[in-house]
């Protein structure tokens, strides 16, 4: 029978060669084909390798060449013939083995990892985090428990849910245990790494002591990032941050519960950003080592509230509060809330900032955020004085004072700065920001939610 690809050899050799063709089948093959009985019911030789002769090769027009699944008599094939007929006991297995030749072992999927973490009672879900790809913000890392793992069609915009194919990695504490890009699988060990998640959990302390600290990614330094953000709202934190680390008692609890999110007004005014850049250039001319202390203009913001969000219910509560802020702001703020900034100030030489002119409505807004978040049971870091709202221009990072003990952000550095007027900024939105090292493509903090006020 002619099916457009190949044919069996139970036809006569004379039928295989078209009229006028100059290509002739090899004599041995023609004799073999001619002498074979034509038993439509399937003789003893039916289904054998010899029967799978390519008709189009005999006609001189097989387009598959060495890749053809049928025999090309007299031609060496790069792929050995495989008996895939019903009578071949291992035909299908042999074909699969040939297809897999040289390929890497299959890797367990992100969905497999999710199911393992959900249903394995021996694994602490709170110790795992997930890095996923946001189409606009890049890779974002969140706690595993912050996600809703239900079907995407059954959730709404108030919960954090992502398609499984956007997941890039899973981490146990600070160690990557599954990563798509590098084919790392220390959860199941499917890629041949020789380790499973139980090995990772049992040996984590040893890993940290030996090589873990050297391999931590930048985003693993969240406590330091949160500490810097805390200084945004509470300048006093900058003075004592170097002495807080370590120790027991109440201080240890505060370190563990440092805020990891904050609500802020982004400073997007070009007039303000240009003025800040001029101030930073003035500082660098006098003290070049301050380059690492300057806040990039794209990250400038005024922090209103600091809070700790770790689980999906906490995220949902925070989103709910911010969802009501549009109506609250219409009550608390004037129709066009405009902040005016002027003058530079510092706190103990460690934080250089510019504060808005008297804005009681902004203080009321910060107090309202604090109250609403607290009513939802969220952990909020309260400043000693809401009147200290400010925008950080430069801040000495942790450890800087040990390397440069004589360098401080004192008034002698900026009192002769020609820039004193920083212009205005319209308060038109509130941003819930992640206090980690990750940034959006435009340089601003990763923002799980932005609320437009007008």
């Amino acid at each position: 029978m002619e099916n457009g690809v190949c044919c069996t050899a139970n036809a006569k050799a004379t039928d295989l060669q078209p009229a006028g063709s100059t290509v002739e089948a090899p004599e041995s093959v023609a004799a073999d084909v001619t002498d074979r009985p034509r038993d439509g019911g399937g003789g003893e030789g039916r289904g054998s390798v010899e029967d799978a002769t390519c008709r189009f090769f005999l006609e001189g027009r097989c387009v598959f060449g060495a890749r053809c699944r049928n025999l090309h008599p007299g031609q060496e094939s790069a792929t050995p013939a495989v008996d895939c007929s019903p009578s071949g006991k291992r035909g299908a297995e042999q074909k699969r083995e040939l297809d897999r030749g040289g390929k890497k072992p299959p890797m367990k999927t992100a969905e497999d990892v999710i199911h393992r973490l959900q249903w394995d009672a021996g694994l602490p879900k709170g110790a795992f985090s997930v890095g996923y790809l946001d189409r606009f913000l890049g890779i974002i890392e969140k706690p595993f428990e912050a996600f809703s793992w239900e079907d995407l069609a059954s959730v709404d915009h108030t919960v954090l849910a992502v398609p499984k194919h956007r997941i890039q990695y899973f981490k146990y504490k600070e160690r990557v245990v599954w990563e798509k890009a590098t084919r790392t699988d220390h959860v199941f060990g499917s890629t041949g790494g020789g380790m499973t998640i139980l090995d990772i959990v049992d040996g984590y302390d040893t890993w940290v002591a030996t090589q873990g600290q050297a391999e931590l990614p930048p985003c693993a330094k969240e406590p330091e990032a949160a500490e810097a953000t805390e200084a945004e709202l509470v300048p006093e934190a900058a003075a004592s941050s170097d002495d807080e680390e370590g120790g027991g008692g109440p201080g240890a609890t505060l370190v563990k519960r440092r805020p990891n999110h904050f609500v802020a007004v982004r400073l997007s005014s070009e007039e303000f950003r240009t003025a800040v850049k001029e101030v930073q250039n003035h500082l660098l001319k006098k003290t070049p080592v301050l380059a690492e202390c300057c806040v990039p203009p794209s990250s400038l913001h005024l922090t209103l509230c600091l809070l700790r969000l770790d689980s999906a219910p906490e995220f949902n509560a925070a989103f709910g509060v911010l969802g009501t802020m549009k109506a609250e702001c219409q009550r608390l703020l004037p129709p066009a809330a405009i902040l005016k900034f002027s003058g530079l100030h510092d706190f103990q030489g460690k934080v250089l900032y510019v504060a808005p002119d008297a804005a009681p409505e902004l203080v009321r807004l910060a107090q309202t955020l604090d109250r609403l978040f607290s009513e939802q049971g969220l952990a909020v870091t309260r400043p000693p004085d809401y009147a200290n709202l400010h925008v950080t221009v430069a801040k000495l990072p942790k450890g800087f004072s040990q390397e440069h003990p004589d360098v401080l952000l004192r008034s002698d550095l900026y009192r002769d700065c020609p820039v004193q007027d920083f212009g205005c900024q319209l308060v038109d939105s509130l941003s819930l920001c992640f206090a980690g090292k990750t940034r959006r493509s435009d340089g601003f903090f990763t923002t799980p939610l932005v609320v437009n006020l007008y």
Side-chain angles (χ1 to χ4, degrees):
M1 179 182 295
E2 191 173 325
N3 58 8
V5 178
C6 59
C7 67
T8 59
N10 56 2
K12 292 183 179 180
T14 55
D15 295 335
L16 297 175
Q17 184 167 345
S21 172
T22 59
V23 179
E24 297 181 358
E27 182 178 344
S28 60
V29 176
D32 179 67
V33 173
T34 305
D35 295 339
R36 187 165 296 129
R38 300 174 63 182
D39 57 348
E44 294 181 359
R46 186 179 180 184
S48 64
V49 176
E50 288 79 2
D51 286 344
T53 303
C54 177
R55 166 183 179 172
F56 296 94
F57 171 75
L58 299 178
E59 295 177 355
R61 53 192 182 94
C62 178
V63 298
F64 295 101
R67 295 183 294 111
C68 184
R69 296 176 60 182
N70 295 310
L71 287 179
H72 287 185
Q75 183 182 79
E76 292 186 0
S77 174
T79 303
V82 178
D83 183 5
C84 294
S85 65
S87 62
K89 295 182 179 179
R90 298 188 64 251
E93 294 180 6
Q94 292 177 14
K95 182 64 171 62
R96 285 194 295 269
E97 290 175 3
L98 290 174
D99 291 342
R100 285 201 305 266
K103 290 186 177 180
K104 299 178 181 178
M107 178 180 175
K108 289 289 188 179
T109 65
E111 188 168 9
D112 295 327
V113 179
I114 293 170
H115 290 164
R116 176 70 181 274
L117 298 182
Q118 283 181 313
W119 302 112
D120 192 336
L123 297 178
K125 299 180 182 61
F128 289 87
S129 56
V130 182
Y132 67 95
L133 179 63
D134 186 285
R135 289 184 297 172
F136 303 102
L137 307 179
I139 295 180
I140 300 175
E141 183 177 317
K142 294 291 182 184
F144 178 81
E145 293 181 325
F147 293 85
S148 171
W149 299 114
E150 300 177 16
D151 186 87
L152 290 178
S154 64
V155 299
D156 56 26
H157 67 281
T158 61
V159 300
L160 180 61
V162 296
K164 307 298 188 298
H165 68 271
R166 292 193 179 276
I167 296 176
Q168 303 299 306
Y169 62 84
F170 290 85
K171 283 169 52 177
Y172 173 72
K173 295 183 178 179
E174 301 300 343
R175 184 169 186 181
V176 175
V177 296
W178 185 97
E179 187 173 22
K180 180 192 296 186
T182 60
R183 287 181 52 82
T184 299
D185 180 11
H186 294 327
V187 178
F188 300 96
S190 63
T191 56
M195 300 184 69
T196 66
I197 190 60
L198 299 180
D199 300 323
I200 296 294
V201 173
D202 293 340
Y204 181 77
D205 293 338
T206 303
W207 175 81
V208 171
T210 56
Q211 61 179 353
Q213 292 297 337
E215 297 181 2
L216 291 181
C219 61
K221 301 177 182 179
E222 181 182 338
E224 180 181 338
E227 178 182 288
T229 308
E230 189 169 1
E232 294 287 326
L233 190 60
V234 190
E236 291 85 348
S240 58
S241 60
D242 290 347
D243 303 325
E244 280 184 359
E245 208 63 36
T253 302
L254 289 176
V255 170
K256 290 182 180 179
R257 295 296 296 172
R258 280 197 180 113
N260 57 4
H261 289 78
F262 61 95
V263 179
V265 176
R266 185 183 185 186
L267 276 299
S268 57
S269 167
E270 285 300 325
E271 182 182 12
F272 185 90
R273 291 185 177 185
T274 301
V276 168
K277 191 63 179 177
E278 291 179 9
V279 170
Q280 293 174 343
N281 290 337
H282 179 80
L283 297 177
L284 296 181
K285 286 181 181 178
K286 290 188 172 184
T287 313
V289 295
L290 289 174
E292 63 177 296
C293 307
C294 295
V295 177
S298 59
S299 297
L300 293 170
H301 62 281
L302 187 148
T303 303
L304 297 175
C305 182
L306 294 169
L307 62 159
R308 178 86 187 186
L309 303 176
D310 290 318
S311 64
E314 290 176 345
F315 276 93
N316 293 338
F319 291 162
V321 169
L322 292 173
T324 64
M325 286 310 299
K326 186 170 184 178
E328 288 288 337
C329 288
Q330 292 176 354
R331 180 178 63 85
L332 297 172
L333 300 178
I338 299 178
L339 302 178
K340 183 173 176 57
F341 297 87
S342 60
L344 288 166
H345 312 275
D346 72 90
F347 187 84
Q348 297 185 4
K350 293 195 174 184
V351 178
L352 178 64
Y353 63 92
V354 54
D357 294 347
E361 64 277 4
L362 195 66
V363 173
R364 289 196 298 271
L365 176 60
Q367 293 172 336
T368 301
L369 282 169
D370 187 331
R371 176 177 58 81
L372 294 177
F373 284 133
S374 298
E375 289 175 354
Q376 296 297 320
L378 301 178
V380 179
T381 299
R382 293 183 176 87
D385 185 2
Y386 284 98
N388 280 333
L389 299 177
H390 62 280
V391 180
T392 299
V393 175
K395 176 186 177 295
L396 302 186
K398 185 178 179 181
F400 184 87
S401 297
Q402 283 75 20
E403 297 181 11
H404 309 281
D406 298 329
V407 178
L408 292 172
L409 296 170
R410 295 294 189 185
S411 59
D412 56 342
L413 277 179
Y414 60 83
R415 71 159 58 99
D416 58 343
C417 179
V419 179
Q420 294 297 324
D421 185 4
F422 290 81
C424 302
Q425 171 66 47
L426 174 66
V427 182
D428 57 354
S429 65
L430 297 178
S431 300
L432 175 63
C433 305
F434 174 56
K437 295 293 185 180
T438 58
R439 293 293 184 270
R440 303 189 325 195
S441 58
D442 60 359
F444 193 57
F445 291 84
T446 300
T447 50
L449 182 66
V450 176
V451 179
N452 294 319
L453 303 180
Y454 302 103

